Amino acid sequence: MKELNKEEFKSEVEDYVKVLFRKSIKEADDQQIFQAVAYAVKDFIVDQWMATHRTYEEKDVKTVYYLSMEFLMGRALGNIIINLKGNQAIKEAIEELGLNLDVIEDQEPDAALGNGGLGRLAACFLDSLSTLGYAAYGCGIRYKYGMFKQVIENGYQIEKPDDWLKYGNPFEIKRPEYAVEVKFGGYVSIKKDEETGRNKFVQENYQSVLAVPYDLPVVGYNNNVVNTLRIWDAEAIDTFNLDSFDKGDYQKAVEQQNLARTICEVLYPNDNHMAGKELRLKQQYFFVSASVQRAVMKYMEKHDDIRKIHEKVCFQLNDTHPTVAVAELMRILVDEYNIEWDEAWHITNKTCAYTNHTIMSEALEKWPLELFSRLLPRIYQIIEEINRRFVLDIQRAYPDDYGKVERMAIIYDGQVKMAHLAIAAGFSVNGVARLHTEILKNQELKDFYQMMPEKFNNKTNGITQRRFLLHGNPLLADFVTKKIGDDWITDLKHIDELSVYTDDEMSRKEFMNIKYQNKVRLAKYIKEHNGIEVNPRSIFDVQVKRLHEYKRQLLNILHVMYLYNELKKNPDKEFYPRTFIFGAKASAGYHRAKSIIKLINSVADVVNNDKSIDGKIKVVFIENYRVSNAEIIFAAADVSEQISTASKEASGTGNMKFMLNGAVTLGTMDGANVEIVEEVGKENAFIFGLSSDEVIAYEHNGQYNPRDIYNTDGDIRAVLTQLVDGTYSSNLDEFRDIYNSLLDGQGGRPDMYFILKDFRSYAEAQERVSAAYADTAKWAKMAMLNTAKCGKFSSDRTIEEYAQEIWHLEKVKVEVTT
Ligand code: 26Q
């Protein structure tokens, strides 16, 4: 690793402030200083970036293209500095310039090009790919506006545009030399190819845009490796010829300009919910076509046989969102390289792999044929042919079972089913936690598993300890390093060596003192951003994640209402003070989710201002939860709320970030919680609620009626009544929909997510939490063991499994010569 030279760095920062802003350091504002520092850091990594790509070319290594509609990167500066091991040198340099690194880092807007779990996973994967030395491109969209900024007004969520590129992005490099054309609409005509005498399919009268890539560096930890996140922007193709008075041309030029303007405008803020919008499909094809075209071109620059592309290229599809990639690759092979269908299909099969992130039926992508064929006429033809052959395969395999085609066809009921396409076309289908993969195999994708069992595999998710411990929790990171050395930074299994210290009282005290410091830091953040005083001696009980009914923030807040009732009834009851902390964005059109946010804020208003409970319960809703404040929140948590209805959360990754930071899981046996409990031991977690088998059984037999609970449990009845009797809102209809969803469930099933069913079990688990916390030594040991036992949940482990078992990549060492 090249060493960072302090003096050189200082003068670079001074130069940049001058060149960029015509100012001296003293005159520049914080944002300008951030820009200058960022440019100086980019200067430092650019040699490694070039060396990395030179090495890849020389060694001709296989490359994975991680295709994803979302990359939730968060801030880059602090993370890059950490991975350069330059924290000390840069901190000193900056201090010597009379500046403060924390303030500078705070100027950077989050790169919020993602919604939640799926997008953040992609970001963690890129960090691990670079750190492990694997050749990879992240391929995505350069949304002009990322995930909206959430403002809470009067308890309601208001969405504000996230203008993250306002001051420019110092880390990006525009690469116009790699721009490619992407075509939409028109029709397909058949032409005779003069050379081969064969029929050729030609798209005509289409509209097109120019896809222009911007590259962002992804810096590995202390290893000279810098991979690339390539995000595509759309520009108008220059056909705006003002000399032409042909009306058709003029009209078309205007339309193409508009298309280019809209495609990359904004990220769809839906999490685990399919929005069947035309623009979304345009976005998908736009970045997929550009990425696949570019990957093929790059491959052909160094090789002569397109038939062997699978030896050097793998496309990993992050959920079904980029699944048109399989049809786009077929189009390139068949239409542009004149390869026969069967052979093209085999090549495609060997090049594409699919990750499933959800079993929620409303999240499954299905596109109407009309829309699909109008927008992507040639791609649609190809999918029709893939479907025709796949249906024949199904019939051959199951000649007597007519239900199979109905359940498995790619095109059915007037829709294109993207998951079916991804499974049929790829060589690998993976779930993201053991339980999730089992549910896919035995329930959701049973027919596919039966027909193609060899494709199915599990890759339990992970997170990067570099961002979520080393950067987010420096106090704990230093403690761990002091105890066991710093191997954990690149091999998290080592963190288990902390286990022995859980029996040492001094170490436990130190550990809990660090937690306290982090709680003070979060309390300060809450005071500054919410104006609420919280007591850092109270239990910090945290649920931060996207707002979704299946994640059951409602269970949490109903339980707070119940506790509050208990305290009011019995003011002298022994009660360990608790701060319930929430953070969640609701999709803009998800009304019930937004009501739940309002409910949390309304309960907070009442409870926080009730002097009679003496501050024993506080409720805080942290506005605009995102990657940058997540780092502060995880570090300060005592209790990690992972309370999804069993079977619904594919994996979860927040659960792992809490665990790493020494919070104890309060959760259901869902997603990766199952594996967390397996690692830490069930005595070091608080588990409650229905199992996934029980939930699935109820869903099949319909034998659950929440009214029975309402009628027999007075405490629950009281809480539900308070939703509609004015306790939390003078508008009695404010929470009526929530009330109805639990007891009547308009159209659907009442209490679909088994909130009342799990309520008592949850309340009882919460009592166990309070009792355990009161025993300081016991709690300290539990918390510390959570940190010690989280080795499995590094995304390094996950990526190592993908690399060995799916992608078959080789590790690269990069030497910087300049
Ligand atoms: C699809 C079509 C149209 C518009 C939007 C969408 C869409 C967008 C985002 C559908 C789903 C998503 C996001 C899904 C997601 O984040 N899933 C989560 O993935 C994590 C990483 O594997 C898991 O840990 C979570 O359990 C899972 O919910």
Side-chain angles (χ1 to χ4, degrees):
M1 267 291 274
K2 189 169 106 180
E3 283 282 318
L4 221 146
N5 181 312
K6 214 162 70 178
E7 292 308 318
E8 242 173 62
F9 186 80
K10 277 160 63 178
S11 69
E12 283 231 23
V13 173
E14 281 173 326
D15 287 351
Y16 270 114
V17 176
K18 205 155 72 184
V19 173
L20 293 170
F21 307 109
R22 212 203 62 185
K23 282 188 176 163
S24 70
I25 295 238
K26 282 208 170 55
E27 294 162 331
D29 66 23
D30 289 342
Q31 174 62 220
Q32 292 169 331
I33 298 284
F34 158 71
Q35 296 273 337
V37 170
Y39 274 105
V41 167
K42 186 199 209 173
D43 263 12
F44 183 78
I45 60 180
V46 79
D47 290 324
Q48 300 174 32
W49 204 355
M50 289 166 70
T52 299
H53 285 270
R54 210 179 309 122
T55 311
Y56 291 164
E57 306 237 311
E58 278 164 18
K59 303 219 161 129
D60 191 23
V61 288
K62 187 173 181 185
T63 303
V64 63
Y65 291 81
Y66 198 80
L67 304 184
S68 178
M69 287 288 281
E70 307 190 10
F71 288 92
L72 228 187
M73 302 297 283
R75 291 174 174 158
L77 180 62
N79 199 244
I80 292 176
I81 292 175
I82 277 244
N83 281 5
L84 293 173
K85 274 190 126 179
N87 224 21
Q88 211 41 45
I90 291 185
K91 215 186 186 121
E92 281 170 23
I94 286 185
E95 273 162 21
E96 288 169 24
L97 291 170
L99 304 165
N100 176 327
L101 185 56
D102 290 335
V103 174
I104 294 169
E105 283 187 28
D106 232 16
Q107 301 307 309
E108 184 180 0
D110 279 40
L113 309 182
N115 273 285
L118 169 146
R120 183 56 230 177
L121 184 75
C124 284
F125 279 5
L126 294 184
D127 182 86
S128 289
L129 280 159
S130 291
T131 296
L132 293 169
Y134 290 118
Y137 277 90
C139 303
I141 296 176
R142 184 173 177 271
Y143 300 106
K144 182 152 175 244
Y145 296 98
M147 187 60 209
F148 64 77
K149 274 195 186 141
Q150 179 192 55
V151 176
I152 301 295
E153 278 176 21
N154 204 4
Y156 297 102
Q157 167 178 298
I158 309 289
E159 301 92 23
K160 296 270 158 82
D162 164 45
D163 194 2
W164 72 294
L165 294 168
K166 182 158 69 188
Y167 301 108
N169 180 354
F171 294 109
E172 72 183 9
I173 301 183
K174 183 175 180 176
R175 314 297 297 274
E177 66 272 32
Y178 298 132
V180 296
E181 186 181 2
V182 178
K183 301 174 182 175
F184 295 94
Y187 46 82
V188 179
S189 49
I190 302 177
K191 299 244 161 86
K192 255 268 175 313
D193 189 67
E194 298 299 329
E195 274 170 52
T196 61
R198 297 195 324 182
N199 282 339
K200 276 205 90 103
F201 297 88
V202 188
Q203 193 172 349
E204 289 185 309
N205 200 28
Y206 53 84
Q207 288 184 1
S208 56
V209 297
L210 194 65
V212 184
Y214 288 71
D215 287 353
L216 294 169
V218 181
V219 177
Y221 185 81
N222 194 29
N223 68 352
N224 292 324
V225 175
V226 181
N227 278 319
T228 302
L229 169 57
R230 172 160 287 176
I231 49 179
W232 296 89
D233 189 20
E235 290 182 13
I237 295 233
D238 197 10
T239 59
F240 217 122
N241 184 355
L242 289 175
D243 292 342
S244 159
F245 286 93
D246 182 313
K247 207 170 162 217
D249 279 4
Y250 183 80
Q251 196 63 33
K252 189 169 174 175
V254 175
E255 281 169 15
Q256 291 197 149
Q257 292 233 321
N258 283 333
L259 180 64
R261 245 195 299 278
T262 53
I263 276 188
C264 298
E265 189 68 8
V266 63
L267 166 79
Y268 276 86
N270 295 17
D271 183 272
N272 273 296
H273 187 83
M274 146 98 186
K277 293 278 174 15
E278 180 164 340
L279 181 60
R280 167 84 182 188
L281 188 57
K282 281 184 191 164
Q283 291 183 336
Q284 295 184 348
Y285 184 65
F286 166 75
F287 97 94
V288 163
S289 174
S291 305
V292 175
Q293 285 189 58
R294 194 46 225 152
V296 170
M297 278 182 226
K298 188 175 165 76
Y299 170 80
M300 288 308 285
E301 278 165 12
K302 288 265 159 45
H303 306 88
D304 48 18
D305 189 357
I306 186 73
R307 289 171 174 79
K308 292 190 184 158
I309 189 168
H310 62 275
E311 292 178 5
K312 297 295 174 188
V313 170
C314 184
F315 295 113
Q316 186 68 38
L317 312 179
N318 198 21
D319 214 296
T320 56
H321 319 154
T323 297
V324 281
V326 307
E328 177 68 358
L329 183 55
M330 285 297 286
R331 183 189 69 75
I332 294 171
L333 295 172
V334 172
D335 293 357
E336 294 181 9
Y337 285 87
N338 297 313
I339 293 177
E340 294 293 336
W341 183 279
D342 282 317
E343 192 171 15
W345 181 242
H346 283 126
I347 297 166
T348 301
N349 288 170
K350 285 183 279 187
T351 313
C352 299
Y354 156 59
T355 304
N356 175 293
H357 295 267
T358 189
I359 54 168
M360 301 288 292
S361 59
E362 65 262 37
L364 295 180
E365 277 194 291
K366 297 169 186 164
W367 292 99
L369 297 191
E370 182 281 321
L371 169 59
F372 215 108
S373 55
R374 176 165 49 81
L375 196 65
L376 308 171
R378 180 60 186 141
I379 293 297
Y380 180 68
Q381 282 184 340
I382 290 169
I383 293 176
E384 268 190 323
E385 181 62 12
I386 294 174
N387 179 58
R388 192 184 66 77
R389 290 164 181 252
F390 185 55
V391 167
L392 288 176
D393 288 345
I394 299 168
Q395 285 168 335
R396 244 189 314 271
Y398 307 101
D400 304 318
D401 188 343
Y402 300 110
K404 288 280 183 187
V405 169
E406 203 176 313
R407 295 195 299 271
M408 298 174 76
I410 295 163
I411 300 181
Y412 206 84
D413 272 346
Q415 294 176 314
V416 185
K417 301 187 175 180
M418 301 309 273
H420 298 191
L421 177 58
I423 299 167
F427 65 89
S428 167
V429 177
N430 77 278
V432 290
R434 195 207 298 135
L435 175 68
H436 169 61
T437 302
E438 288 306 308
I439 294 173
L440 290 178
K441 293 197 291 190
N442 303 325
Q443 319 264 345
E444 264 17 69
L445 301 177
K446 184 162 79 190
D447 293 310
F448 293 92
Y449 177 57
Q450 208 182 82
M451 184 168 159
M452 305 166 273
E454 70 289 347
K455 290 189 183 183
F456 285 74
N457 64 95
N458 176 247
K459 296 286 169 282
T460 297
N461 283 166
I463 56 161
T464 169
Q465 66 270 28
R466 275 134 346 240
R467 181 176 292 269
F468 292 105
L469 187 55
L470 192 55
H471 186 260
N473 194 345
L475 297 177
L476 185 55
D478 285 348
F479 169 83
V480 175
T481 299
K482 202 177 70 198
K483 295 288 185 213
I484 66 168
D486 65 3
D487 289 343
W488 63 271
I489 298 172
T490 49
D491 184 359
L492 196 60
K493 281 272 178 240
H494 283 280
I495 207 159
D496 195 8
E497 292 158 26
L498 214 58
S499 298
V500 293
Y501 295 99
T502 61
D503 288 321
D504 170 45
E505 198 186 330
M506 273 302 290
S507 302
R508 284 200 307 257
K509 284 214 166 112
E510 234 181 305
F511 184 89
M512 288 313 284
N513 184 255
I514 289 166
K515 182 60 82 179
Y516 179 74
Q517 302 294 324
N518 286 323
K519 287 162 80 170
V520 170
R521 179 174 69 157
L522 179 59
K524 184 159 168 270
Y525 179 94
I526 291 171
K527 178 77 191 157
E528 277 168 19
H529 293 80
N530 295 60
I532 299 175
E533 295 271 359
V534 302
N535 171 10
R537 300 274 175 213
S538 66
I539 303 173
F540 277 20
D541 179 320
V542 187
Q543 186 171 22
V544 287
K545 50 183 76 237
R546 284 300 292 263
L547 212 137
H548 207 295
E549 284 167 278
Y550 84 80
K551 295 177 188 283
R552 298 202 295 193
Q553 284 93 351
L554 182 55
L555 173 59
N556 187 342
I557 197 67
L558 290 175
H559 174 257
V560 173
M561 290 160 65
Y562 158 79
L563 276 185
Y564 178 57
N565 289 345
E566 292 293 294
L567 268 184
K568 297 284 277 183
K569 271 194 283 195
N570 192 352
D572 301 325
K573 184 177 157 148
E574 215 180 295
F575 188 89
Y576 207 104
R578 272 259 201 150
T579 304
F580 293 94
I581 297 169
F582 294 83
K585 289 180 183 177
S587 291
Y590 190 174
H591 298 293
R592 190 168 296 154
K594 288 179 147 182
S595 290
I596 293 169
I597 290 177
K598 172 66 177 166
L599 176 62
I600 294 168
N601 284 310
S602 301
V603 172
D605 267 352
V606 172
V607 172
N608 297 347
N609 295 311
D610 184 339
K611 299 266 173 340
S612 77
I613 62 163
D614 205 17
K616 284 185 183 135
I617 304 177
K618 282 273 168 85
V619 179
V620 178
F621 188 94
I622 295 180
E623 192 175 72
N624 203 29
Y625 172 60
R626 61 193 186 283
V627 176
S628 54
N629 61 17
E631 294 177 31
I632 300 170
I633 296 168
F634 292 126
D638 295 307
V639 179
S640 159
E641 297 257 7
Q642 307 301 333
I643 61 178
S644 54
T645 310
S647 81
K648 302 297 179 202
E649 189 70 272
S651 160
T653 44
N655 46 5
M656 303 166 186
K657 296 164 197 168
F658 280 107
M659 183 188 194
L660 177 65
N661 282 278
V664 183
T665 303
L666 165 58
T668 49
M669 280 300 221
D670 197 18
N673 297 353
V674 176
E675 290 160 79
I676 285 177
V677 173
E678 185 172 289
E679 294 297 305
V680 78
K682 61 180 182 315
E683 66 287 0
N684 296 306
F686 299 91
I687 298 305
F688 72 95
L690 295 175
S691 69
S692 78
D693 286 340
E694 287 167 331
V695 168
I696 290 165
Y698 276 123
E699 287 175 340
H700 285 147
N701 69 26
Q703 305 246 305
Y704 167 52
N705 185 359
R707 283 268 168 199
D708 297 340
I709 297 174
Y710 178 87
N711 289 332
T712 52
D713 188 323
D715 294 335
I716 290 180
R717 191 164 59 245
V719 167
L720 291 192
T721 304
Q722 287 169 339
L723 289 173
V724 290
D725 73 355
T727 306
Y728 293 105
S729 171
S730 53
N731 173 4
L732 301 192
D733 287 330
E734 186 84 74
F735 306 120
R736 180 87 54 190
D737 169 72
I738 294 176
Y739 179 90
N740 288 342
S741 78
L742 293 170
L743 293 174
D744 302 323
Q746 324 100 313
R749 284 171 284 123
D751 194 12
M752 283 194 42
Y753 297 104
F754 301 91
I755 287 174
L756 302 196
K757 186 80 188 161
D758 276 348
F759 187 93
R760 278 291 161 194
S761 165
Y762 178 60
E764 178 267 335
Q766 281 284 25
E767 277 179 32
R768 285 187 277 137
V769 168
S770 292
Y773 198 88
D775 182 343
T776 313
K778 176 177 168 178
W779 186 274
K781 184 167 177 174
M782 280 175 89
M784 216 168 143
L785 271 174
N786 269 275
T787 299
K789 297 296 180 183
C790 76
K792 174 175 173 184
F793 303 106
S794 170
S795 47
D796 299 341
R797 187 267 314 149
T798 314
I799 284 300
E800 206 63 271
E801 289 176 11
Y802 276 94
Q804 299 309 316
E805 297 162 24
I806 300 179
W807 303 330
H808 305 293
L809 304 180
E810 51 176 303
K811 261 189 198 163
V812 175
K813 277 213 159 45
V814 174
E815 235 63 77
V816 181
T817 42
T818 46

